[in-house]
Amino acid sequence: MRKSPPFDSQYNAARDLAEATAGEADYCAACIAGFDGDGSRSSDEIFLEQNARFQAFLSDSTALDVLLAELVFSLDRLTSKVSADLDSFRGLTRREKMAGWFSRQRMWRMHSARVREAPVVEQLLDLLTKSDLLAALLDGQRRSLAARHKSAEFGLLDIVEHRRRLVDEIDIARMRMKELNAKALNTQGRIGVYGNKAHWEQMEAERLALKAEAERISVEEHAMRDESQRRERFINMFQAFVDRLNGGIASCNVLIRKLSVDTEERLIIYQAQVDTDRPGMKVRIKPELFPYIAASIALFEKGMLVPQDLVQRKSRADQEFARKFPTYAEERSDAPLIDVVRKSPTFGLGFFRSLRS
């Protein structure tokens, strides 16, 4: 199994990249909003400059999704490790068994001391702290992307609609040119055939006027065609930006759902441990201490987190995560979830586990 980088360094990298991509997204959104505002430079010069920045955003934004997914997955993997550590308490060590040959009371005292001294509670509290940090980062990222997506999409729609009007106007101009040229040709054919010299001169003047009008419309049609092509070139770039924003929002939604379910799992494991540990440990988890996972903690405080229900939701969240991030499809953790409903009659410990479906 691939080893994940340390959470703190990975989190700092994701946070810094999120800040950088926010600046890049602001630049891209401003380009869309100010599309018709810079007439001092050529279209090619503007496109080359903007395209480089847009491509940087697309690359960095995709990399950020990968970093965030790695963070969510790494916490899930650490949770599985804590769960496995708790499961090890179900049995006795060799030293404890040897003590039991002489005194069963001493054997159980040694076992209880090992359970109490294990840093499981601290590990779980650390995981919850990391979960809250990551939830804050994901929530901020989703809100940022959603706000930029809304404004960028509206700006893009205006540009696209303008191009559609141009296409319609180009079609009208071409039909008008065809009509004028046909009239001019018809008038030319009548010169010298009907009427007198004065009449012919009048028809020639009409023909020249028709040709002049056709030429004027042709110039306008050419300018509109150039503008339509310019817009099409930028529209493709802008559309890729809007699509990436939308993809980033979708990624955040998947990651937030998985992180939320995984957080509930950590709380259930915590409950299983504090039920067998020192009294008063539950008060160390309060919504005000973990504001971004407060909804899950509120359920925890009310005793509304049910392992059987969580198993099904976690399976769905994991499947959705694997579809969105195929890299992790082969690395899904199959470690079982602690079931706090079933109690061990031998040890009195609340960490018998049921397999995830």
Side-chain angles (χ1 to χ4, degrees):
M1 181 179 289
R2 178 173 53 85
K3 184 178 180 181
S4 298
F7 178 89
D8 291 341
S9 61
Q10 192 86 339
Y11 173 82
N12 290 335
R15 182 194 57 200
D16 294 344
L17 188 55
E19 293 177 358
T21 55
E24 292 169 353
D26 284 338
Y27 170 86
C28 296
C31 290
I32 296 176
F35 177 67
D36 292 315
D38 189 355
S40 61
R41 297 188 297 165
S42 70
S43 174
D44 288 343
E45 182 183 359
I46 294 173
F47 179 82
L48 289 174
E49 177 186 301
Q50 292 185 359
N51 186 56
R53 297 286 296 273
F54 272 73
Q55 292 301 322
F57 169 79
L58 296 179
S59 176
D60 289 346
S61 178
T62 302
L64 178 57
D65 283 355
V66 173
L67 274 175
L68 293 172
E70 177 66 31
L71 284 167
V72 172
F73 185 79
S74 66
L75 290 184
D76 192 16
R77 180 181 288 167
L78 289 172
T79 302
S80 296
K81 182 180 183 303
V82 172
S83 180
D85 290 343
L86 276 174
D87 192 47
S88 69
F89 296 151
R90 293 174 58 187
L92 296 169
T93 65
R94 182 178 179 182
R95 182 167 173 266
E96 290 165 352
K97 290 178 180 179
M98 291 178 63
W101 294 345
F102 304 98
S103 170
R104 292 187 63 82
Q105 289 184 344
R106 184 166 183 267
M107 177 183 72
W108 292 121
R109 283 198 302 270
M110 291 173 63
H111 178 272
S112 298
R114 177 164 61 90
V115 173
R116 286 195 301 270
E117 293 170 2
V120 173
V121 169
E122 286 70 22
Q123 290 174 353
L124 287 168
L125 287 172
D126 182 61
L127 282 174
L128 290 172
T129 298
K130 288 179 169 64
S131 298
D132 194 64
L133 279 173
L134 186 51
L137 181 58
L138 286 169
D139 181 67
Q141 179 69 1
R142 181 172 63 176
R143 286 188 286 104
S144 174
L145 291 171
R148 291 178 176 89
H149 179 267
K150 184 176 181 179
S151 62
E153 189 172 45
F154 282 148
L156 177 58
L157 287 175
D158 287 342
I159 297 170
V160 170
E161 184 58 33
H162 191 165
R163 182 176 180 272
R164 287 174 180 168
R165 291 196 299 269
L166 281 173
V167 171
D168 291 340
E169 291 172 4
I170 289 170
D171 289 340
I172 293 171
R174 287 173 176 172
M175 292 175 62
R176 180 60 177 159
M177 284 189 297
K178 184 177 180 180
E179 178 185 349
L180 290 170
N181 286 326
K183 286 183 178 180
L185 185 61
N186 183 58
T187 301
Q188 182 179 357
R190 294 168 56 194
I191 296 174
V193 177
Y194 303 100
N196 54 31
K197 183 178 180 180
H199 189 205
W200 296 342
E201 290 176 350
Q202 180 184 352
M203 286 191 292
E204 175 64 12
E206 291 177 0
R207 186 187 71 81
L208 292 175
L210 289 169
K211 293 294 291 183
E213 179 65 8
E215 286 295 329
R216 184 189 68 78
I217 295 176
S218 176
V219 172
E220 291 181 352
E221 186 270 344
H222 186 75
M224 288 189 294
R225 183 154 33 91
D226 287 345
E227 176 62 13
S228 176
Q229 292 172 352
R230 180 181 80 93
R231 285 179 178 270
E232 182 179 17
R233 186 184 191 188
F234 280 87
I235 284 171
N236 291 334
M237 181 173 69
F238 296 162
Q239 185 65 61
F241 170 68
V242 172
D243 290 345
R244 178 81 281 276
L245 290 175
N246 192 52
I249 294 170
S251 295
C252 283
N253 288 336
V254 170
L255 295 175
I256 288 171
R257 278 193 290 270
K258 175 167 173 56
L259 180 62
S260 177
V261 173
D262 290 352
T263 298
E264 292 180 17
E265 179 185 16
R266 287 157 204 147
L267 289 167
I268 286 177
I269 296 174
Y270 184 85
Q271 180 65 62
Q273 173 65 1
V274 298
D275 281 348
T276 63
D277 205 350
R278 298 176 295 278
M281 296 300 292
K282 191 172 181 179
V283 300
R284 297 177 66 178
I285 298 182
K286 290 290 184 181
E288 56 268 25
L289 300 177
F290 305 93
Y292 288 94
I293 57 172
S296 297
I297 292 177
L299 296 175
F300 166 75
E301 287 187 318
K302 296 175 183 177
M304 296 176 65
L305 295 180
V306 181
Q308 289 86 343
D309 171 65
L310 181 63
V311 166
Q312 297 177 358
R313 290 191 292 112
K314 182 165 178 60
S315 177
R316 290 194 296 269
D318 285 347
Q319 290 171 8
E320 188 178 6
F321 176 78
R323 284 194 298 270
K324 189 67 177 176
F325 302 97
T327 302
Y328 301 97
E330 301 299 324
E331 296 190 51
R332 288 178 57 192
S333 171
D334 291 324
L337 172 67
I338 286 179
D339 185 348
V340 298
V341 176
R342 298 173 59 192
K343 300 291 184 179
S344 168
T346 305
F347 304 124
L349 301 176
F351 38 72
F352 269 52
R353 306 184 295 177
S354 59
L355 292 177
R356 292 175 188 165
S357 56

